Amino acid sequence: RRSNVFQSAGSGSRIEGPISLPCPPPVSATGMDIIASLDEDTSEEEAANRRNAPQAQGEIEHGKGLCGLGNMGNTCFMNSSLQCLSNSEPLTRYFLSGQWKHDLNTDNALGYSGTLAQEYSSLLSEIWSKQESLYPRSFKSMIARYAPQFTGYSQHDSQELLAFLLDGLHEDTNKIRKKPPTETPTGDGTNDAEIAALSWERYKLRNDSVVLDLFSGQYRSELVCPKCGNVSVTFDPFNNITVQLPQSNSVTVSVTFHALDPLTPPAKVDLEFSRTHTVSHVKAELARRFMSSASNIVLACVWYSEFRQFYEDTDKIWEYGRLKLDDDIHAFELDTEVPPDFSNDASSRFRSNYSTSNYSSNYSSSSSLYNGGGGIY
């Protein structure tokens, strides 16, 4: 039996759940820690010059970096990821200051010979120095060269690209040149703090970069043997997590209601329903609001002053991940009940005789037209 727990190293709190949940590393760096670390290996004079350099300081001022990225086909997945990283201030300051050049690792077999870091730095310089939008063509070509799954200009998953960028930037700026062999420590659930610290320490023996300091954490994974009850706990590193966005169960339907009285002007209303509701619920709400009868209401979709579709009571409001009633929806009040097969023969009479271009002048005769001059059909 496997269960996963989020544990905060600072507070010691834990929340057990059925899915993998992250926890921060035992020692995590803040944005100010990262900025301060840029000066660790330099003299005081060099550090002062770097902090006062216009590129390192002025480019992060409020209002800078407001540069749009042009869409090349369906590359919004890439542009959104790049904008998120660009507005991660400690990471952007790290690249704009030039510190990444001191950490560039061109011999890392898991990296991209430093090309990804170089291209990203060049793109950031453009984003934070221009006021107009730009097209990241060179960066897109570089990604396609190292990650063929992003070749072309079709839509892709933004999280997949973001994971590729974080991994690539980490490996291209990994300060560890020779990675020693390590083993993953295992606990029994009674020594989590010790195992978490040891896991992070061993992970840092092979990985050390600004990306790791800013984005990485650990998953706590617990495995329980169903026979002997033995517990095995490990901590696995990550640099991004998937968070499901809450979705509302309600939808809004906009309907223009045309009363039977020709002197009553059409009224447009916004109605809120559950996604599981049907057209019959829309009619019932319209009848309640306008003091009518739901059985006397015809619901239709109008397109360029023509009836495009008549809705039946059993039609669902929400189908196939989209709002079904998302067009120009009109509701017409009649002086008689709508027959069950209205969407077939009778609707054609209603469609051919009723003009949607001038509701106020024509609506007074809608009932007689619908009745066919003496009968429902």
Side-chain angles (χ1 to χ4, degrees):
R1 178 174 62 87
R2 177 184 295 273
S3 65
N4 297 275
V5 177
F6 166 78
Q7 180 168 342
S8 173
S11 63
S13 61
R14 50 188 275 138
I15 305 173
E16 298 196 18
I19 60 174
S20 297
L21 292 173
C23 63
V27 179
S28 60
T30 64
M32 294 307 298
D33 295 330
I34 300 303
I35 296 173
S37 69
L38 302 181
D39 302 324
E40 287 183 354
D41 301 327
T42 60
S43 65
E44 292 184 3
E45 182 179 357
E46 291 174 338
N49 292 335
R50 181 177 300 159
R51 287 192 298 270
N52 295 327
Q55 186 182 34
Q57 186 175 15
E59 296 291 351
I60 305 297
E61 293 179 357
H62 178 71
K64 298 290 185 178
L66 302 179
C67 175
L69 299 178
N71 195 9
M72 300 172 291
N74 290 318
T75 58
C76 52
F77 74 97
M78 179 185 72
N79 295 344
S80 60
S81 299
L82 289 174
Q83 292 286 17
C84 287
L85 287 182
S86 173
N87 285 276
S88 299
E89 184 174 325
L91 182 65
T92 295
R93 188 182 295 276
Y94 170 78
F95 275 96
L96 293 183
S97 68
Q99 177 62 24
W100 66 274
K101 297 178 182 179
H102 301 282
D103 302 331
L104 190 64
N105 190 340
T106 59
D107 300 323
N108 189 352
L110 299 178
Y112 302 97
S113 302
T115 304
L116 179 59
Q118 295 171 358
E119 286 287 347
Y120 182 71
S121 176
S122 299
L123 179 60
L124 275 185
S125 297
E126 289 190 79
I127 292 176
W128 286 83
S129 62
K130 290 187 175 182
Q131 295 298 323
E132 67 276 6
S133 62
L134 59 91
Y135 290 85
R137 294 186 176 89
S138 177
F139 191 82
K140 173 67 174 64
S141 299
M142 181 274 305
I143 290 180
R145 184 165 65 251
Y146 291 110
Q149 66 269 30
F150 299 117
T151 302
Y153 299 95
S154 301
Q155 184 64 266
H156 296 280
D157 185 69
S158 58
Q159 187 194 8
E160 184 180 353
L161 177 71
L162 187 61
F164 166 79
L165 292 177
L166 290 176
D167 287 337
L169 292 176
H170 161 66
E171 297 295 352
D172 273 4
T173 58
N174 195 346
K175 301 175 185 178
I176 306 298
R177 297 310 195 252
K178 295 183 179 180
K179 299 184 178 182
T182 59
E183 293 184 359
T184 303
T186 303
D188 57 6
T190 63
N191 53 350
D192 284 354
E194 177 185 349
I195 297 301
L198 182 59
S199 299
W200 189 249
E201 178 183 346
R202 291 186 179 179
Y203 182 70
K204 290 275 288 184
L205 292 176
R206 298 172 55 87
N207 301 275
D208 186 12
S209 72
V210 68
V211 174
L212 180 144
D213 293 333
L214 291 174
F215 297 100
S216 294
Q218 294 185 118
Y219 284 111
R220 181 190 186 275
S221 181
E222 180 179 299
L223 192 63
V224 180
C225 178
K227 293 184 178 181
C228 66
N230 183 57
V231 178
S232 175
V233 175
T234 58
F235 289 85
D236 305 312
F238 71 90
N239 60 22
N240 70 91
I241 59 175
T242 302
V243 179
Q244 185 175 3
L245 298 178
Q247 294 185 355
S248 173
N249 190 43
S250 63
V251 293
T252 301
V253 181
S254 297
V255 183
T256 301
F257 183 80
H258 302 267
L260 182 63
D261 184 0
L263 300 180
T264 302
K268 189 171 184 178
V269 294
D270 293 331
L271 308 177
E272 188 170 333
F273 300 97
S274 168
R275 296 191 183 195
T276 60
H277 283 172
T278 62
V279 170
S280 63
H281 294 90
V282 179
K283 291 185 176 181
E285 179 61 21
L286 289 172
R288 185 189 68 82
R289 290 201 178 196
F290 295 100
M291 302 180 66
S292 179
S293 174
S295 60
N296 289 28
I297 296 177
V298 172
L299 209 62
C301 171
V302 176
W303 183 258
Y304 287 104
S305 298
E306 293 183 359
F307 291 106
R308 178 182 179 183
Q309 179 183 359
F310 289 90
Y311 295 107
E312 298 183 6
D313 289 351
T314 56
D315 288 342
K316 294 182 178 179
I317 296 176
W318 183 271
E319 284 186 335
Y320 311 113
R322 61 181 290 270
L323 187 63
K324 188 167 187 177
L325 305 181
D326 58 354
D327 295 319
D328 191 8
I329 307 302
H330 292 258
F332 302 91
E333 182 185 22
L334 307 179
D335 60 357
T336 185
E337 291 187 1
V338 181
D341 59 346
F342 175 80
S343 60
N344 297 322
D345 178 62
S347 65
S348 63
R349 296 178 181 270
F350 190 87
R351 186 192 306 269
S352 61
N353 291 316
Y354 190 82
S355 171
T356 61
S357 60
N358 189 349
Y359 294 115
S360 60
S361 61
N362 292 334
Y363 193 76
S364 60
S365 60
S366 64
S367 178
S368 61
L369 290 174
Y370 170 71
N371 289 332
I376 292 296
Y377 300 100

